[in-house]
Amino acid sequence: MAAAARGHAAGSGLRPLVAESWLRSSAYRLDPDAVPDRILPETDLQLRRAGHPLAGVLPVIHELLVRHTLDAGLVVAVGDQTGRLLWVDGDRSLRRKAERMAFVAGADWSEAAAGTSAPGTALALGRSVQIHREEHFARVVHPWSCSAVPVRDRATGAVVGVIDITGGADAVGPVTLPLLEATVAAVEAELALRSLRASSGTRAASTARPRGAQPRGASTRGAPTRSAPTRGAPAPQGPTDDVTLTVLGRERGLLHVGGARSVELSTRHAEILTLLAHHRAGLSADDLARAVYGRDQAVVTLRAEMVRLRRILDAVAPDLAPASRPYRLTRPVDLDAHRVLAFCARGAHRVALGSYAGPVLPGSSAPGIQALRAEVSGCLRETVLADAGVETLLAYARTEEARYDVELWRLALRLLPARSPKRAGVVAHLQTIESELV
Protein backbone atom coordinates (compact mmCIF):
# COMPACT_ATOMS: atom_id res chain seq x y z
CA MET A 1 0.00 0.00 0.00
CA ALA A 2 2.82 2.42 0.90
CA ALA A 3 4.66 1.53 -2.32
CA ALA A 4 1.52 2.20 -4.35
CA ALA A 5 1.09 5.59 -2.67
CA ARG A 6 4.72 6.48 -3.38
CA GLY A 7 4.28 5.53 -7.02
CA HIS A 8 1.09 7.56 -7.28
CA ALA A 9 2.76 10.62 -5.73
CA ALA A 10 5.70 10.37 -8.10
CA GLY A 11 3.61 10.11 -11.26
CA SER A 12 0.47 12.08 -10.52
CA GLY A 13 1.58 15.56 -11.56
CA LEU A 14 1.05 16.88 -8.05
CA ARG A 15 2.65 20.15 -6.99
CA PRO A 16 6.14 19.44 -5.58
CA LEU A 17 5.04 20.56 -2.11
CA VAL A 18 2.14 18.08 -2.18
CA ALA A 19 4.11 15.23 -3.77
CA GLU A 20 6.80 15.52 -1.08
CA SER A 21 4.11 15.49 1.60
CA TRP A 22 2.54 12.37 0.05
CA LEU A 23 5.91 10.65 0.20
CA ARG A 24 6.27 11.55 3.87
CA SER A 25 2.71 10.35 4.49
CA SER A 26 3.33 7.02 2.78
CA ALA A 27 6.51 6.58 4.82
CA TYR A 28 4.28 6.63 7.92
CA ARG A 29 2.45 3.61 6.40
CA LEU A 30 -0.87 5.45 6.41
CA ASP A 31 -3.94 4.00 4.69
CA PRO A 32 -5.34 6.56 2.19
CA ASP A 33 -8.81 5.05 2.71
CA ALA A 34 -8.76 5.37 6.50
CA VAL A 35 -10.27 8.11 8.66
CA PRO A 36 -7.97 9.76 11.25
CA ASP A 37 -8.72 7.99 14.53
CA ARG A 38 -6.28 9.43 17.07
CA ILE A 39 -8.83 11.44 19.10
CA LEU A 40 -8.19 12.49 22.68
CA PRO A 41 -10.73 11.69 25.43
CA GLU A 42 -12.59 14.79 26.61
CA THR A 43 -10.70 14.95 29.93
CA ASP A 44 -7.30 14.93 28.20
CA LEU A 45 -8.52 17.49 25.66
CA GLN A 46 -9.56 19.89 28.42
CA LEU A 47 -6.14 19.55 30.07
CA ARG A 48 -4.38 20.33 26.80
CA ARG A 49 -6.61 23.33 26.18
CA ALA A 50 -6.10 24.74 29.66
CA GLY A 51 -2.32 24.60 29.42
CA HIS A 52 -1.91 25.89 25.87
CA PRO A 53 -0.82 29.51 25.19
CA LEU A 54 -3.42 29.94 22.41
CA ALA A 55 -6.21 29.52 24.97
CA GLY A 56 -5.63 33.09 26.11
CA VAL A 57 -5.94 34.58 22.62
CA LEU A 58 -9.10 32.81 21.45
CA PRO A 59 -11.07 36.11 21.62
CA VAL A 60 -8.63 37.59 19.07
CA ILE A 61 -9.09 34.61 16.75
CA HIS A 62 -12.87 34.79 17.11
CA GLU A 63 -13.03 38.53 16.45
CA LEU A 64 -10.74 38.50 13.42
CA LEU A 65 -11.57 35.15 11.88
CA VAL A 66 -14.29 32.95 13.37
CA ARG A 67 -17.12 35.48 13.31
CA HIS A 68 -16.59 35.96 9.56
CA THR A 69 -17.07 32.21 8.95
CA LEU A 70 -20.18 31.49 11.01
CA ASP A 71 -22.46 31.67 7.98
CA ALA A 72 -19.88 31.52 5.19
CA GLY A 73 -19.56 27.75 4.77
CA LEU A 74 -16.15 27.62 6.45
CA VAL A 75 -14.70 25.97 9.54
CA VAL A 76 -11.87 27.37 11.66
CA ALA A 77 -9.61 24.99 13.60
CA VAL A 78 -6.94 25.89 16.13
CA GLY A 79 -4.34 23.21 16.82
CA ASP A 80 -1.24 22.81 18.95
CA GLN A 81 2.32 22.40 17.70
CA THR A 82 1.88 18.65 17.25
CA GLY A 83 -1.14 18.97 14.94
CA ARG A 84 -3.71 18.09 17.59
CA LEU A 85 -6.89 20.14 17.03
CA LEU A 86 -7.87 21.89 20.26
CA TRP A 87 -10.78 24.02 19.08
CA VAL A 88 -13.03 23.78 16.02
CA ASP A 89 -15.55 26.54 15.28
CA GLY A 90 -17.35 28.22 12.37
CA ASP A 91 -20.30 27.28 10.20
CA ARG A 92 -22.43 24.89 12.28
CA SER A 93 -23.78 22.73 9.46
CA LEU A 94 -20.34 22.37 7.91
CA ARG A 95 -18.86 21.35 11.27
CA ARG A 96 -21.35 18.48 11.43
CA LYS A 97 -20.22 17.33 7.97
CA ALA A 98 -16.57 17.66 8.99
CA GLU A 99 -17.19 15.30 11.90
CA ARG A 100 -17.59 12.45 9.38
CA MET A 101 -13.88 12.70 8.58
CA ALA A 102 -12.93 13.19 12.25
CA PHE A 103 -12.15 16.86 11.81
CA VAL A 104 -13.07 17.56 15.42
CA ALA A 105 -11.47 18.94 18.57
CA GLY A 106 -9.13 16.35 20.01
CA ALA A 107 -8.24 14.76 16.66
CA ASP A 108 -4.64 14.43 15.48
CA TRP A 109 -4.21 16.03 12.03
CA SER A 110 -0.44 15.89 11.87
CA GLU A 111 1.06 14.35 8.72
CA ALA A 112 2.04 11.31 10.77
CA ALA A 113 -1.61 10.67 11.67
CA ALA A 114 -3.71 12.08 8.81
CA GLY A 115 -1.30 12.50 5.92
CA THR A 116 -1.25 15.57 3.71
CA SER A 117 -3.55 18.34 4.97
CA ALA A 118 -3.15 22.07 5.48
CA PRO A 119 -2.66 21.98 9.28
CA GLY A 120 -0.37 18.94 9.25
CA THR A 121 1.71 20.04 6.26
CA ALA A 122 1.96 23.65 7.48
CA LEU A 123 3.45 22.34 10.73
CA ALA A 124 5.77 19.96 8.86
CA LEU A 125 7.11 22.81 6.68
CA GLY A 126 6.81 25.63 9.20
CA ARG A 127 5.01 27.93 6.75
CA SER A 128 1.64 28.80 5.22
CA VAL A 129 0.06 26.04 3.14
CA GLN A 130 -3.06 25.60 1.00
CA ILE A 131 -4.26 22.10 0.05
CA HIS A 132 -6.88 21.66 -2.68
CA ARG A 133 -9.37 18.78 -2.65
CA GLU A 134 -7.66 15.69 -4.17
CA GLU A 135 -4.27 16.90 -2.96
CA HIS A 136 -5.17 15.48 0.46
CA PHE A 137 -3.57 12.10 1.11
CA ALA A 138 -6.69 10.64 2.72
CA ARG A 139 -9.47 10.10 0.16
CA VAL A 140 -12.19 10.93 2.69
CA VAL A 141 -10.88 14.52 2.66
CA HIS A 142 -10.96 14.93 -1.14
CA PRO A 143 -14.24 16.94 -1.16
CA TRP A 144 -12.58 19.55 1.07
CA SER A 145 -9.98 22.31 0.68
CA CYS A 146 -8.05 24.05 3.43
CA SER A 147 -5.51 26.77 4.28
CA ALA A 148 -3.33 26.82 7.39
CA VAL A 149 -0.65 29.03 8.96
CA PRO A 150 1.67 28.09 11.86
CA VAL A 151 1.70 30.33 14.95
CA ARG A 152 5.12 31.15 16.40
CA ASP A 153 6.51 32.50 19.64
CA ARG A 154 8.21 35.67 18.40
CA ALA A 155 10.81 35.59 21.18
CA THR A 156 12.11 32.11 20.32
CA GLY A 157 10.79 31.47 16.81
CA ALA A 158 9.32 28.17 18.01
CA VAL A 159 6.01 27.00 16.54
CA VAL A 160 3.34 26.90 19.26
CA GLY A 161 0.31 26.00 17.16
CA VAL A 162 -1.53 26.29 13.87
CA ILE A 163 -4.73 27.98 12.64
CA ASP A 164 -6.66 26.42 9.76
CA ILE A 165 -9.63 27.31 7.56
CA THR A 166 -11.43 24.33 5.99
CA GLY A 167 -14.38 24.23 3.58
CA GLY A 168 -15.06 24.38 -0.12
CA ALA A 169 -13.42 26.53 -2.78
CA ASP A 170 -13.53 29.63 -0.55
CA ALA A 171 -11.17 27.94 1.90
CA VAL A 172 -8.38 28.33 -0.67
CA GLY A 173 -9.70 31.52 -2.29
CA PRO A 174 -7.34 34.44 -3.05
CA VAL A 175 -8.36 36.39 0.06
CA THR A 176 -8.36 33.49 2.51
CA LEU A 177 -4.63 33.10 3.06
CA PRO A 178 -3.97 36.85 3.57
CA LEU A 179 -6.89 36.92 6.03
CA LEU A 180 -5.45 33.94 7.89
CA GLU A 181 -1.92 35.34 7.90
CA ALA A 182 -3.16 38.67 9.24
CA THR A 183 -4.99 36.87 12.04
CA VAL A 184 -1.88 34.87 12.92
CA ALA A 185 0.19 38.08 12.97
CA ALA A 186 -2.29 39.62 15.41
CA VAL A 187 -2.24 36.46 17.55
CA GLU A 188 1.57 36.40 17.63
CA ALA A 189 1.67 40.07 18.60
CA GLU A 190 -0.83 39.46 21.39
CA LEU A 191 1.18 36.48 22.68
CA ALA A 192 4.36 38.58 22.66
CA LEU A 193 2.62 41.41 24.49
CA ARG A 194 1.25 39.08 27.14
CA SER A 195 4.66 37.51 27.63
CA LEU A 196 6.28 40.93 28.00
CA ARG A 197 3.69 42.07 30.52
CA ALA A 198 3.95 38.85 32.48
CA SER A 199 7.74 39.16 32.74
CA SER A 200 7.40 42.84 33.69
CA GLY A 201 4.95 41.89 36.42
CA THR A 202 7.31 39.20 37.72
CA ARG A 203 10.24 41.63 37.83
CA ALA A 204 8.10 44.23 39.57
CA ALA A 205 7.00 41.72 42.19
CA SER A 206 10.55 40.52 42.85
CA THR A 207 11.86 44.06 43.39
CA ALA A 208 8.91 45.36 45.36
CA ARG A 209 10.32 44.31 48.76
CA PRO A 210 13.67 43.28 50.25
CA ARG A 211 14.55 39.58 50.27
CA GLY A 212 12.97 37.83 53.22
CA ALA A 213 10.46 40.60 53.93
CA GLN A 214 6.87 39.58 54.63
CA PRO A 215 4.21 40.66 52.15
CA ARG A 216 2.06 43.52 53.32
CA GLY A 217 -0.80 42.23 55.40
CA ALA A 218 0.90 38.87 56.11
CA SER A 219 0.71 37.24 59.52
CA THR A 220 3.89 35.69 60.93
CA ARG A 221 1.86 33.12 62.84
CA GLY A 222 -0.51 31.89 60.17
CA ALA A 223 -1.55 32.17 56.59
CA PRO A 224 -1.13 35.58 54.96
CA THR A 225 -4.15 37.85 55.11
CA ARG A 226 -5.31 40.22 52.41
CA SER A 227 -6.04 43.81 53.31
CA ALA A 228 -9.53 45.02 52.37
CA PRO A 229 -9.79 47.63 49.61
CA THR A 230 -10.68 51.17 50.54
CA ARG A 231 -14.40 51.72 50.04
CA GLY A 232 -15.18 53.98 47.14
CA ALA A 233 -11.66 53.90 45.65
CA PRO A 234 -11.21 52.22 42.26
CA ALA A 235 -9.08 49.11 42.29
CA PRO A 236 -5.70 50.04 40.78
CA GLN A 237 -4.88 48.23 37.58
CA GLY A 238 -1.56 46.40 37.41
CA PRO A 239 1.04 46.68 34.66
CA THR A 240 -0.04 43.36 33.14
CA ASP A 241 -3.52 44.64 32.20
CA ASP A 242 -4.26 44.99 28.49
CA VAL A 243 -4.89 48.60 27.46
CA THR A 244 -6.71 49.44 24.23
CA LEU A 245 -7.79 52.81 22.88
CA THR A 246 -10.76 53.03 20.53
CA VAL A 247 -10.88 56.17 18.38
CA LEU A 248 -12.31 54.99 15.06
CA GLY A 249 -15.73 56.50 14.35
CA ARG A 250 -15.90 58.10 17.80
CA GLU A 251 -15.97 61.76 18.80
CA ARG A 252 -14.53 60.84 22.22
CA GLY A 253 -11.93 58.16 22.82
CA LEU A 254 -12.77 55.00 24.79
CA LEU A 255 -9.98 53.56 26.93
CA HIS A 256 -10.29 49.90 27.94
CA VAL A 257 -8.15 48.67 30.83
CA GLY A 258 -7.80 44.96 31.51
CA GLY A 259 -11.01 44.12 29.67
CA ALA A 260 -13.01 44.94 32.80
CA ARG A 261 -12.90 48.72 33.01
CA SER A 262 -13.64 51.38 30.39
CA VAL A 263 -13.21 55.13 30.60
CA GLU A 264 -14.51 57.64 28.07
CA LEU A 265 -11.99 60.39 27.42
CA SER A 266 -12.68 63.93 26.30
CA THR A 267 -11.81 64.69 22.71
CA ARG A 268 -8.71 66.59 23.78
CA HIS A 269 -7.44 63.82 26.03
CA ALA A 270 -8.18 61.26 23.33
CA GLU A 271 -6.16 63.35 20.85
CA ILE A 272 -3.15 63.47 23.17
CA LEU A 273 -3.25 59.78 24.05
CA THR A 274 -3.76 58.78 20.40
CA LEU A 275 -0.77 60.83 19.25
CA LEU A 276 1.46 59.37 21.97
CA ALA A 277 0.30 55.83 21.14
CA HIS A 278 1.01 56.53 17.46
CA HIS A 279 4.44 58.07 18.07
CA ARG A 280 5.97 55.38 20.29
CA ALA A 281 9.36 57.16 20.49
CA GLY A 282 7.67 60.20 21.99
CA LEU A 283 7.18 63.84 21.05
CA SER A 284 8.75 67.01 22.42
CA ALA A 285 6.46 69.52 24.11
CA ASP A 286 6.68 71.78 21.03
CA ASP A 287 5.93 68.94 18.58
CA LEU A 288 3.00 67.64 20.63
CA ALA A 289 1.61 71.18 21.01
CA ARG A 290 1.75 71.66 17.23
CA ALA A 291 0.12 68.26 16.65
CA VAL A 292 -2.72 69.04 19.08
CA TYR A 293 -3.24 72.80 18.80
CA GLY A 294 -1.48 73.70 15.56
CA ARG A 295 0.84 76.27 17.14
CA ASP A 296 4.02 76.32 19.23
CA GLN A 297 2.71 78.88 21.68
CA ALA A 298 0.27 76.34 23.13
CA VAL A 299 2.92 74.52 25.22
CA VAL A 300 1.63 76.05 28.47
CA THR A 301 -1.93 74.99 27.58
CA LEU A 302 -0.68 71.51 26.70
CA ARG A 303 1.11 71.11 30.05
CA ALA A 304 -2.05 72.03 31.94
CA GLU A 305 -4.01 69.48 29.88
CA MET A 306 -1.37 66.81 30.59
CA VAL A 307 -1.83 67.34 34.32
CA ARG A 308 -5.57 66.71 33.95
CA LEU A 309 -4.97 63.66 31.74
CA ARG A 310 -2.49 62.14 34.23
CA ARG A 311 -5.02 62.61 37.01
CA ILE A 312 -7.60 60.59 35.05
CA LEU A 313 -5.11 57.86 34.13
CA ASP A 314 -3.82 57.57 37.70
CA ALA A 315 -7.29 56.42 38.74
CA VAL A 316 -7.61 53.64 36.18
CA ALA A 317 -4.13 52.74 34.88
CA PRO A 318 -1.33 54.40 36.89
CA ASP A 319 1.42 52.87 34.75
CA LEU A 320 -0.07 54.51 31.64
CA ALA A 321 0.53 58.10 32.80
CA PRO A 322 2.79 59.71 30.15
CA ALA A 323 6.42 60.40 30.94
CA SER A 324 7.98 63.72 29.89
CA ARG A 325 11.06 65.03 28.05
CA PRO A 326 9.91 63.88 25.58
CA TYR A 327 6.26 63.16 26.24
CA ARG A 328 5.85 59.42 25.72
CA LEU A 329 3.99 56.33 26.90
CA THR A 330 6.10 53.88 28.88
CA ARG A 331 3.99 50.90 27.85
CA PRO A 332 2.26 49.96 24.59
CA VAL A 333 -1.37 50.85 23.92
CA ASP A 334 -3.36 48.83 21.40
CA LEU A 335 -4.75 51.54 19.12
CA ASP A 336 -7.61 50.37 16.90
CA ALA A 337 -6.35 52.60 14.06
CA HIS A 338 -3.04 50.71 14.11
CA ARG A 339 -4.86 47.40 13.65
CA VAL A 340 -6.47 48.65 10.43
CA LEU A 341 -3.09 49.84 9.11
CA ALA A 342 -1.51 46.46 9.94
CA PHE A 343 -4.28 44.52 8.18
CA CYS A 344 -4.01 46.78 5.13
CA ALA A 345 -0.25 46.23 5.00
CA ARG A 346 -0.84 42.46 4.90
CA GLY A 347 -3.54 42.67 2.26
CA ALA A 348 -6.22 41.42 4.65
CA HIS A 349 -8.94 43.54 3.01
CA ARG A 350 -11.98 42.02 4.69
CA VAL A 351 -10.47 42.09 8.16
CA ALA A 352 -9.25 45.66 7.70
CA LEU A 353 -12.69 46.76 6.54
CA GLY A 354 -14.39 44.84 9.35
CA SER A 355 -12.12 46.56 11.89
CA TYR A 356 -12.74 50.03 10.44
CA ALA A 357 -15.57 51.67 12.39
CA GLY A 358 -15.08 55.08 10.80
CA PRO A 359 -12.55 57.95 10.63
CA VAL A 360 -10.14 58.63 13.51
CA LEU A 361 -11.88 61.01 15.96
CA PRO A 362 -14.00 62.48 13.12
CA GLY A 363 -14.78 65.73 14.95
CA SER A 364 -11.17 66.55 15.81
CA SER A 365 -9.37 69.42 14.08
CA ALA A 366 -5.99 68.66 15.68
CA PRO A 367 -3.37 68.60 12.86
CA GLY A 368 -1.78 65.38 14.13
CA ILE A 369 -5.13 63.62 14.26
CA GLN A 370 -6.08 64.89 10.82
CA ALA A 371 -2.84 63.40 9.46
CA LEU A 372 -3.47 60.02 11.12
CA ARG A 373 -7.10 60.07 9.95
CA ALA A 374 -5.99 60.66 6.36
CA GLU A 375 -3.34 57.92 6.64
CA VAL A 376 -5.78 55.27 7.88
CA SER A 377 -8.62 56.23 5.54
CA GLY A 378 -6.32 56.57 2.54
CA CYS A 379 -4.53 53.29 3.24
CA LEU A 380 -7.82 51.41 3.48
CA ARG A 381 -9.14 52.97 0.28
CA GLU A 382 -6.00 52.25 -1.73
CA THR A 383 -5.81 48.67 -0.45
CA VAL A 384 -9.44 47.99 -1.36
CA LEU A 385 -9.10 49.64 -4.78
CA ALA A 386 -5.89 47.79 -5.62
CA ASP A 387 -6.53 44.23 -4.55
CA ALA A 388 -9.92 43.53 -2.99
CA GLY A 389 -12.62 41.38 -4.57
CA VAL A 390 -15.85 42.93 -5.71
CA GLU A 391 -17.80 41.97 -2.57
CA THR A 392 -15.27 43.70 -0.30
CA LEU A 393 -15.21 46.64 -2.69
CA LEU A 394 -19.00 46.97 -2.47
CA ALA A 395 -18.93 46.67 1.32
CA TYR A 396 -16.45 49.56 1.46
CA ALA A 397 -18.44 51.56 -1.10
CA ARG A 398 -21.44 51.48 1.24
CA THR A 399 -19.54 53.21 4.05
CA GLU A 400 -20.31 56.86 4.69
CA GLU A 401 -16.95 58.18 3.47
CA ALA A 402 -17.06 56.18 0.21
CA ARG A 403 -20.64 57.09 -0.59
CA TYR A 404 -19.64 59.69 -3.23
CA ASP A 405 -16.43 58.02 -4.38
CA VAL A 406 -17.17 57.81 -8.12
CA GLU A 407 -13.94 56.00 -8.97
CA LEU A 408 -14.72 53.26 -6.47
CA TRP A 409 -18.33 52.78 -7.61
CA ARG A 410 -17.28 52.65 -11.27
CA LEU A 411 -14.65 50.02 -10.46
CA ALA A 412 -17.30 47.95 -8.68
CA LEU A 413 -19.49 48.16 -11.79
CA ARG A 414 -16.62 46.94 -13.99
CA LEU A 415 -15.86 44.01 -11.70
CA LEU A 416 -19.43 42.78 -11.32
CA PRO A 417 -20.42 39.93 -13.67
CA ALA A 418 -22.60 41.05 -16.58
CA ARG A 419 -25.67 39.24 -15.22
CA SER A 420 -25.20 40.16 -11.56
CA PRO A 421 -28.41 41.54 -10.01
CA LYS A 422 -26.24 44.00 -8.05
CA ARG A 423 -25.35 45.96 -11.19
CA ALA A 424 -28.69 47.77 -11.23
CA GLY A 425 -28.15 49.12 -7.73
CA VAL A 426 -24.63 50.29 -8.56
CA VAL A 427 -25.79 52.01 -11.75
CA ALA A 428 -28.61 53.74 -9.83
CA HIS A 429 -26.17 54.93 -7.17
CA LEU A 430 -23.79 56.32 -9.80
CA GLN A 431 -26.68 58.24 -11.36
CA THR A 432 -27.59 59.63 -7.93
CA ILE A 433 -24.00 60.77 -7.35
CA GLU A 434 -23.86 62.49 -10.72
CA SER A 435 -27.20 64.26 -10.17
CA GLU A 436 -26.24 65.46 -6.69
CA LEU A 437 -22.81 66.68 -7.73
CA VAL A 438 -24.05 68.66 -10.72
Side-chain angles (χ1 to χ4, degrees):
M1 186 178 298
R6 283 194 296 271
H8 183 59
S12 62
L14 293 171
R15 291 184 291 150
L17 175 152
V18 178
E20 290 166 7
S21 176
W22 275 43
L23 291 174
R24 289 194 300 270
S25 302
S26 65
Y28 290 120
R29 300 184 181 277
L30 298 175
D31 182 356
D33 293 313
V35 175
D37 58 359
R38 302 180 187 178
I39 302 177
L40 284 178
E42 184 65 24
T43 302
D44 293 342
L45 173 61
Q46 294 301 330
L47 287 174
R48 285 219 187 187
R49 285 173 167 174
H52 199 274
L54 292 182
V57 294
L58 286 177
V60 176
I61 298 171
H62 187 277
E63 177 65 21
L64 300 183
L65 197 60
V66 174
R67 72 185 183 93
H68 298 289
T69 67
L70 293 175
D71 57 357
L74 295 170
V75 171
V76 175
V78 179
D80 65 14
Q81 67 276 17
T82 71
R84 181 78 62 178
L85 304 186
L86 300 181
W87 296 275
V88 178
D89 206 337
D91 187 287
R92 184 174 299 176
S93 63
L94 202 68
R95 282 184 0 234
R96 286 197 295 268
K97 294 179 182 177
E99 291 174 0
R100 300 171 192 166
M101 61 176 183
F103 197 79
V104 295
D108 185 352
W109 275 76
S110 65
E111 278 194 344
T116 306
S117 72
T121 304
L123 288 172
L125 299 179
R127 64 180 179 86
S128 306
V129 166
Q130 290 187 309
I131 301 295
H132 303 246
R133 298 171 62 88
E134 288 83 2
E135 291 180 334
H136 288 94
F137 186 80
R139 293 189 177 92
V140 71
V141 196
H142 284 184
W144 303 77
S145 294
C146 49
S147 301
V149 180
V151 181
R152 294 182 181 274
D153 180 332
R154 290 187 174 178
T156 65
V159 173
V160 297
V162 64
I163 303 179
D164 168 271
I165 291 180
T166 290
D170 286 345
V172 288
V175 301
T176 303
L177 199 56
L179 171 65
L180 196 50
E181 289 175 336
T183 301
V184 168
V187 166
E188 290 176 343
E190 180 67 16
L191 288 173
L193 192 58
R194 286 170 178 261
S195 177
L196 178 64
R197 289 171 180 169
S199 61
S200 299
T202 301
R203 287 195 299 271
S206 65
T207 58
R209 59 179 184 272
R211 183 179 296 178
Q214 289 287 343
R216 184 176 180 179
S219 168
T220 58
R221 286 187 284 181
T225 59
R226 185 173 298 172
S227 55
T230 304
R231 180 172 297 180
Q237 304 297 319
T240 58
D241 286 330
D242 295 333
V243 177
T244 61
L245 179 59
T246 303
V247 293
L248 292 175
R250 295 184 55 88
E251 298 293 341
R252 298 162 66 93
L254 189 62
L255 186 68
H256 304 270
V257 183
R261 188 176 179 85
S262 298
V263 177
E264 189 173 60
L265 303 173
S266 69
T267 300
R268 184 65 76 204
H269 290 165
E271 291 168 346
I272 294 171
L273 206 54
T274 298
L275 290 168
L276 293 179
H278 186 53
H279 298 276
R280 290 289 293 126
L283 293 168
S284 68
D286 287 338
D287 287 341
L288 185 56
R290 279 194 295 271
V292 175
Y293 299 98
R295 61 186 191 279
D296 298 338
Q297 296 78 7
V299 169
V300 174
T301 306
L302 171 68
R303 286 175 177 154
E305 205 64 65
M306 290 294 288
V307 170
R308 289 188 280 270
L309 175 59
R310 285 192 179 106
R311 191 176 300 133
I312 292 171
L313 295 176
D314 280 342
V316 293
D319 62 314
L320 189 60
S324 56
R325 297 183 183 179
Y327 285 122
R328 67 195 184 281
L329 298 180
T330 57
R331 58 167 299 177
V333 171
D334 182 12
L335 188 64
D336 58 349
H338 281 172
R339 272 181 255 144
V340 173
L341 290 173
F343 293 141
C344 285
R346 288 181 168 269
H349 320 102
R350 286 179 56 191
V351 184
L353 185 57
S355 302
Y356 186 70
V360 176
L361 296 173
S364 170
S365 58
I369 296 299
Q370 289 179 330
L372 178 59
R373 183 189 303 146
E375 180 183 357
V376 176
S377 179
C379 182
L380 180 63
R381 181 184 184 274
E382 291 307 312
T383 300
V384 170
L385 277 173
D387 298 312
V390 66
E391 292 302 324
T392 303
L393 190 67
L394 285 171
Y396 177 64
R398 295 186 187 104
T399 64
E400 187 61 31
E401 61 192 270
R403 184 177 175 186
Y404 292 98
D405 193 328
V406 175
E407 180 186 2
L408 191 147
W409 282 93
R410 285 176 177 168
L411 177 59
L413 186 61
R414 288 200 302 271
L415 293 178
L416 281 170
R419 296 187 178 183
S420 171
K422 296 178 181 178
R423 291 181 64 87
V426 174
V427 170
H429 188 81
L430 280 167
Q431 291 173 343
T432 300
I433 293 176
E434 291 170 359
S435 64
E436 291 185 10
L437 294 181
V438 171

